Amino acid sequence: MTKKLSFPEDGLVELFRSWSGKGELYAGLAAVLSEDDFEWTKDDVERRAHVILFEQCRPLIEQLPENLQDWLSVLPVATQAETVRSRSPRGAINWANTRRQGWPPTEFSGRVRHRGVDDELLSSLRWTVERLLKVHLHAKEMRPAIGKKVQGQLATLDDLAARPELQGVEAEPPDLLMVEGIRRAGPLLRVVGDLANLLRQEETSDLARLAAELLAPDEDLRWRLFHLCVLGTMLGVLRDLQCRPISRRPLAGRAQGPAFRVEVPGADSWDLWFEAAEIWSTTGNTEPYKEATFGLAQPGHVRGADLFLVDHAKRRGVVIECKYTARGAYLRSGYDQALAYLVEARTLLIDEGEAFVVAPIEAAPRVGVGRTLAGPLIYCAPEHLKGELTRVFKGWLAS
């Protein structure tokens, strides 16, 4: 089995500081454009996450019954005791209290137990069942055969979800304390508690854990996480230098306008573009590549760097191309792309700049710098990028 290429998660943690939930994470991953120009949606990312989540749940689903009666026999109930006085003995008689009222007794003091549904536990059960069924349906859109071996259990859960016992309560996601309560309610509900704990992952605000456990295992999502990691690394450097990145719009591929405005102490703000192709139309320019290919039978579409930070006031910029690969030919192709972006930017948008090709540490264990007429072009890993960007931005702030 090929070892997965790494990426430092601290870049993601830095990015997640300004994100509130999974919706922004899924949208950010969808915004990373592939080189074949196929654009994902937030739902595409969520489906892939649900494939992984369902596969994590499957060993637990296998332990569930395929008979509805097995479920009905363990529906959570609560027992409450009530102190009563009656003319005839009822329940457990408290003879000491009864005797105090005189003898022979005219009424009896006792405790009666009433059995009823535990609404809180039942509410958690409904949420767990419905959430699992929804995750399965979503995962099937990506992988139609998924869950075939546990179809009997899933069909029974579908029947259980329609029962009046569950429909009579609101579905509420359990917190950790409730999960532990479910686990203590019996062998079958112990499995339900474990399922609830897995399904809660998406609903928590711990985006770093969500990214690591549900997204990173998917190869088509992992390289997108790497892209976001590089963005987070840049944001972290800017914050360390007392600059203030302010989000101007949700991340989205081919969106209008820069993703962040960077407030700089004592100077004009900078613009940080994510998937920067739209910088050309936004600034009223036409990309030289598009002009060059205009006469072709199949002309080229506008292109842009993965990340582009621009100081418009002093006409300088930083171009970043992300390459999550260890394949030499593909990694080296980043040179042509980054250099083309820097040359084009120098032609119409900036007077000076640097370009970076960022790859995993396994592929770029050392920093390499090429000097070109357009400016330095640097290969490095995210682990080096922080120092390199600190050098660049310190120079900008000092000038």
Side-chain angles (χ1 to χ4, degrees):
M1 182 177 176
T2 306
K3 184 179 178 181
K4 292 183 184 296
L5 298 173
S6 63
F7 58 85
E9 293 182 12
D10 54 350
L12 292 177
V13 172
E14 189 66 45
L15 179 60
F16 295 160
R17 282 174 54 183
S18 58
W19 286 3
S20 59
K22 65 176 183 179
E24 287 181 284
L25 173 56
Y26 291 162
L29 287 165
V32 181
L33 299 177
S34 61
E35 293 186 4
D36 60 9
D37 286 336
F38 176 77
E39 295 187 35
W40 283 16
T41 67
K42 184 174 70 172
D43 288 343
D44 293 326
V45 177
E46 187 173 34
R47 289 185 191 99
R48 287 180 173 271
H50 284 174
V51 168
I52 296 167
L53 179 56
F54 184 82
E55 289 297 347
Q56 291 177 347
C57 292
R58 188 168 52 81
L60 293 169
I61 301 171
E62 291 172 352
Q63 301 175 45
L64 298 179
E66 298 183 50
N67 188 325
L68 183 60
Q69 290 303 316
D70 291 336
W71 278 107
L72 298 180
S73 66
V74 298
L75 285 184
V77 296
T79 303
Q80 293 181 326
E82 177 188 6
T83 300
V84 297
R85 293 183 182 278
S86 62
R87 291 184 179 277
S88 59
R90 289 182 60 194
I93 302 302
N94 186 326
W95 290 108
N97 285 346
T98 300
R99 186 177 181 82
R100 290 191 191 101
Q101 306 304 317
W103 195 264
T106 58
E107 65 176 11
F108 295 86
S109 175
R111 292 176 66 80
V112 177
R113 292 185 174 274
H114 302 283
R115 285 170 59 85
V117 174
D118 183 340
D119 283 353
E120 190 175 22
L121 207 56
L122 204 57
S123 176
S124 296
L125 175 61
R126 177 180 176 180
W127 179 87
T128 303
V129 171
E130 291 182 347
R131 186 64 186 161
L132 179 60
L133 292 172
K134 182 176 180 180
V135 166
H136 175 240
L137 287 175
H138 222 175
K140 280 181 68 177
E141 294 175 13
M142 277 293 302
R143 194 184 297 172
I146 196 168
K148 211 167 185 180
K149 293 183 178 179
V150 289
Q151 194 56 51
Q153 290 91 335
L154 292 171
T156 303
L157 287 175
D158 201 34
D159 292 339
L160 179 63
R163 290 286 302 185
E165 294 89 341
L166 268 67
Q167 290 300 310
V169 296
E170 291 292 326
E172 294 287 345
D175 57 21
L176 284 174
L177 189 62
M178 177 52 66
V179 166
E180 288 306 312
I182 297 171
R183 284 173 170 153
R184 290 194 296 268
L188 176 52
L189 292 177
R190 186 179 305 121
V191 179
V192 173
D194 291 340
L195 279 169
N197 198 41
L198 276 174
L199 294 165
R200 284 179 68 254
Q201 290 181 82
E202 268 196 307
E203 309 306 317
T204 69
S205 59
D206 188 353
L207 293 181
R209 180 186 172 196
L210 173 61
E213 296 186 5
L214 288 191
L215 303 175
D218 187 311
E219 288 298 329
D220 284 334
L221 293 177
R222 193 171 174 85
W223 70 266
R224 294 170 183 266
L225 282 171
F226 181 79
H227 190 137
L228 295 183
C229 166
V230 174
L231 171 61
T233 299
M234 177 179 277
L235 294 175
V237 170
L238 292 167
R239 289 175 180 135
D240 288 345
L241 295 175
Q242 308 308 308
C243 298
R244 185 174 173 230
I246 299 173
S247 176
R248 296 187 58 181
R249 59 169 176 80
L251 294 187
R254 307 194 192 285
Q256 294 291 324
F260 295 87
R261 182 181 75 252
V262 182
E263 293 186 349
V264 181
D268 293 323
S269 62
W270 304 337
D271 284 341
L272 174 54
W273 290 78
F274 181 85
E275 297 293 356
E278 296 306 310
I279 192 172
W280 297 104
S281 60
T282 302
T283 57
N285 293 292
T286 301
E287 185 193 12
Y289 169 76
K290 191 172 182 182
E291 289 183 324
T293 59
F294 175 77
L296 300 180
Q298 295 181 334
H301 298 293
V302 66
R303 307 181 309 164
D306 291 335
L307 298 173
F308 187 17
L309 182 71
V310 189
D311 175 1
H312 290 288
K314 296 191 175 180
R315 292 182 59 83
R316 53 196 177 185
V318 167
V319 168
I320 294 182
E321 180 68 17
C322 301
K323 290 295 181 188
Y324 186 67
T325 183
R327 290 189 289 121
Y330 183 61
L331 192 57
R332 289 189 293 272
S333 72
Y335 181 90
D336 299 333
Q337 291 172 281
L339 183 58
Y341 298 145
L342 182 58
V343 169
E344 288 186 331
R346 284 290 309 271
T347 303
L348 293 168
L349 302 174
I350 60 176
D351 296 328
E352 60 176 298
E354 297 192 25
F356 293 85
V357 179
V358 184
I361 189 71
E362 296 87 349
R366 296 176 300 278
V367 176
V369 183
R371 308 290 177 182
T372 78
L373 287 175
L377 197 154
I378 301 164
Y379 271 85
C380 67
E383 289 84 348
H384 313 127
L385 183 63
K386 184 174 182 178
E388 292 295 323
L389 291 178
T390 299
R391 168 187 59 78
V392 173
F393 298 149
K394 277 187 173 179
W396 285 16
L397 294 171
S399 63

